Amino acid sequence: MNQCIKAAAFLPHLFDQESLAAKAAIIIEAILAACSPRMSAIAQHMPGSETANYKLIQRFLGQVDVKALLWRLFQADAPFVIGDPTEMPRPQARQTSYVGKLQDGKTRGYWLLLLATPLRGRALPCGFVTYSSKTIAQMQRSRNQYHWEAFDQIKALLGDKPLVLDREFSYLELLQYLVQVSVNFVIRLNLGSHPPTFYDATGRKVPLIVGLGEQVTYRQLRYMNQVCVNVIGVWRKGHAQPLWVMSNLAPEQALAIYTARMKIEETFRDLKNLLNLDKLMNKSQAHLEQMAALVMLAFTIGVLYGETLRDELYGPAADPQSASAHRTRQRKWQAYSGLFILLKHKFTLPAKRLRQLQRQAAADFALLILPGFDSS
């Protein structure tokens, strides 16, 4: 049902030039219609000649730094920021300069580290970096430096907000960097085959132990005897293993933040399953990142409008006054993301009401935008 969306209602808030906003609206509507990041598919869903449309997209990407524009969608009132790395397999890309090998050492592909802020149980992208084993070798950089590049771009916006990261980020160099730049952090511990070592103030090793159904806290430990952190572990019944989190915040606060993060639907699931971001392939890394940012912008507009539609169609998530049958139906659709409702669900609403809902969603989008933010 995405034919009901008019992206032009959203984009004047983001683009200073009316002509660029108009072009972006046409392209974004086509991305949502095609459910594809490929320029050829997008061009087919734009009005007019496919060849002319393809050239229009190319010219637009040459005029606008979409990746930099994405940083303006940082939610200033968000309680935390999520860092979410994902593998992007490209098994057929034998000659592409930025495609290397993934973690298994065999599959061709690259990594995309997405930064996002939470909204209604979802996450809205606000920035990202891409890298691979090949770009790391070409640029004589480490994976860690790509992580720091992403965090450098967002640290001015964070303030006291913590950066919430998964197990891939529980390494010493990152902790040292975050402490150095005064960024609060909440990181899930990686206690795999080579678990980190913690020490107390006397230099004694401290083993992390928690029983089933228990919660334990350790304050002022030194990670690898280098960085001071608080650690909390909880082993909830029904779980095969405990959850361990380390932070420079109070341990109970850190656990509450990470638990909230775990309840957020993975943004990449919708980006991959609904908009097929994982099918994106370009000859140059710069062009790839421009198109990825454009898809993420379309994703954000689709999510905001879809969430507004879902509220209209099924009401708030908790409605104790509604009938039991309605609550059952309501819960079913509340489980889906706004983007799924917009793209896949068949619904009927009066045209006037659709326009009102779209204006409401566009107003929500306008509230996200940071005025004049320069990520450089």
Side-chain angles (χ1 to χ4, degrees):
M1 290 296 295
N2 58 291
Q3 64 267 23
C4 67
I5 192 167
K6 300 297 180 185
F10 296 79
L11 294 172
H13 304 292
L14 192 60
F15 290 87
D16 297 328
Q17 297 182 36
E18 187 176 335
S19 60
L20 290 178
K23 291 178 183 177
I26 295 171
I27 298 169
I28 284 173
E29 287 175 15
I31 290 173
L32 293 173
C35 293
S36 173
R38 293 183 178 273
M39 288 176 56
S40 55
I42 297 167
Q44 291 172 5
H45 285 79
M46 295 166 61
S49 161
E50 182 180 339
T51 302
N53 292 338
Y54 196 95
K55 292 179 179 178
L56 184 150
I57 299 171
Q58 289 181 315
R59 288 195 301 271
F60 175 82
L61 295 177
Q63 292 174 298
V64 180
D65 187 345
V66 189
K67 185 182 178 185
L69 206 61
L70 199 65
W71 286 109
R72 293 187 64 190
L73 299 186
F74 177 87
Q75 295 182 78
D77 59 349
F80 52 84
V81 176
I82 301 165
D84 188 7
T86 190
E87 291 185 334
M88 306 288 276
R90 286 294 175 273
Q92 307 303 322
R94 299 176 182 275
Q95 304 299 325
T96 307
S97 62
Y98 60 85
V99 173
K101 297 293 180 62
L102 297 178
Q103 192 167 0
D104 63 7
K106 299 177 182 179
T107 307
R108 293 181 181 84
Y110 62 93
W111 283 85
L112 193 154
L113 169 56
L114 178 70
L115 296 174
T117 52
L119 178 74
R120 297 187 57 178
R122 315 292 166 183
L124 299 184
C126 59
F128 67 94
V129 295
T130 62
Y131 57 93
S132 72
S133 60
K134 185 176 279 190
T135 61
I136 287 171
Q138 290 170 344
M139 302 296 292
Q140 296 185 337
R141 304 177 76 187
S142 68
R143 174 205 62 170
N144 303 357
Q145 289 173 309
Y146 281 99
H147 293 171
W148 301 341
E149 176 188 333
F151 303 148
D152 269 338
Q153 294 178 61
I154 205 171
K155 67 183 181 183
L157 298 174
L158 283 170
D160 293 332
K161 298 180 183 65
L163 193 57
V164 184
L165 303 170
D166 216 333
R167 285 171 285 202
E168 297 93 335
F169 297 95
S170 62
Y171 58 89
L172 176 61
E173 293 83 357
L174 178 62
L175 288 182
Q176 291 172 325
Y177 162 82
L178 293 174
V179 170
Q180 180 183 346
V181 298
S182 301
V183 168
N184 290 329
F185 57 87
V186 175
I187 303 176
R188 184 173 183 175
L189 277 171
N190 185 355
L191 298 181
S193 56
H194 301 286
T197 306
F198 291 88
Y199 298 82
D200 63 16
T202 67
R204 180 177 60 88
K205 287 186 179 181
V206 178
L208 301 183
I209 302 172
V210 62
L212 182 63
E214 295 180 347
Q215 177 175 306
V216 296
T217 60
Y218 300 88
R219 300 176 188 273
Q220 300 298 299
L221 297 184
R222 298 192 67 82
Y223 180 90
M224 306 297 286
N225 211 21
Q226 297 288 321
V227 179
C228 186
V229 296
N230 296 316
V231 178
I232 186 166
V234 58
W235 194 346
R236 299 186 175 100
K237 293 181 179 179
H239 292 253
Q241 57 187 7
L243 168 68
W244 290 97
V245 175
M246 65 177 170
S247 177
N248 63 332
L249 304 176
E252 296 82 5
Q253 181 186 5
L255 180 61
I257 290 171
Y258 195 84
T259 300
R261 184 263 177 275
M262 290 176 69
K263 293 178 180 178
I264 293 174
E265 293 290 334
E266 296 293 338
T267 299
F268 260 106
R269 188 178 70 179
D270 278 353
L271 279 169
K272 287 182 175 181
N273 294 352
L274 296 178
L275 296 182
N276 293 290
L277 182 65
D278 57 334
K279 302 297 191 294
L280 179 60
M281 191 68 205
N282 296 94
K283 292 182 179 179
S284 75
Q285 187 175 4
H287 197 179
L288 169 96
E289 292 187 343
Q290 282 280 80
M291 284 304 302
L294 201 51
V295 172
M296 291 178 192
L297 180 55
F299 168 87
T300 300
I301 290 173
V303 166
L304 290 174
Y305 188 33
E307 296 287 329
T308 305
L309 285 171
R310 188 176 58 188
D311 286 352
E312 175 72 11
L313 293 166
Y314 304 107
D319 184 5
Q321 303 302 319
S322 60
S324 177
H326 176 71
R327 286 202 303 270
T328 300
R329 186 170 180 239
Q330 180 189 64
R331 283 195 297 268
K332 172 188 173 184
W333 288 108
Q334 283 290 346
Y336 291 102
S337 70
L339 188 64
F340 184 93
I341 296 289
L342 178 65
L343 299 182
K344 301 297 184 181
H345 183 41
K346 295 181 180 180
F347 57 86
T348 302
L349 288 172
K352 181 179 179 180
R353 185 56 181 153
L354 283 173
R355 289 193 295 270
Q356 292 172 338
L357 294 172
Q358 189 161 259
R359 286 195 294 269
Q360 179 182 331
D364 292 339
F365 181 80
L367 292 175
L368 294 178
I369 299 172
L370 292 175
F373 171 64
D374 182 1
S375 65
S376 64

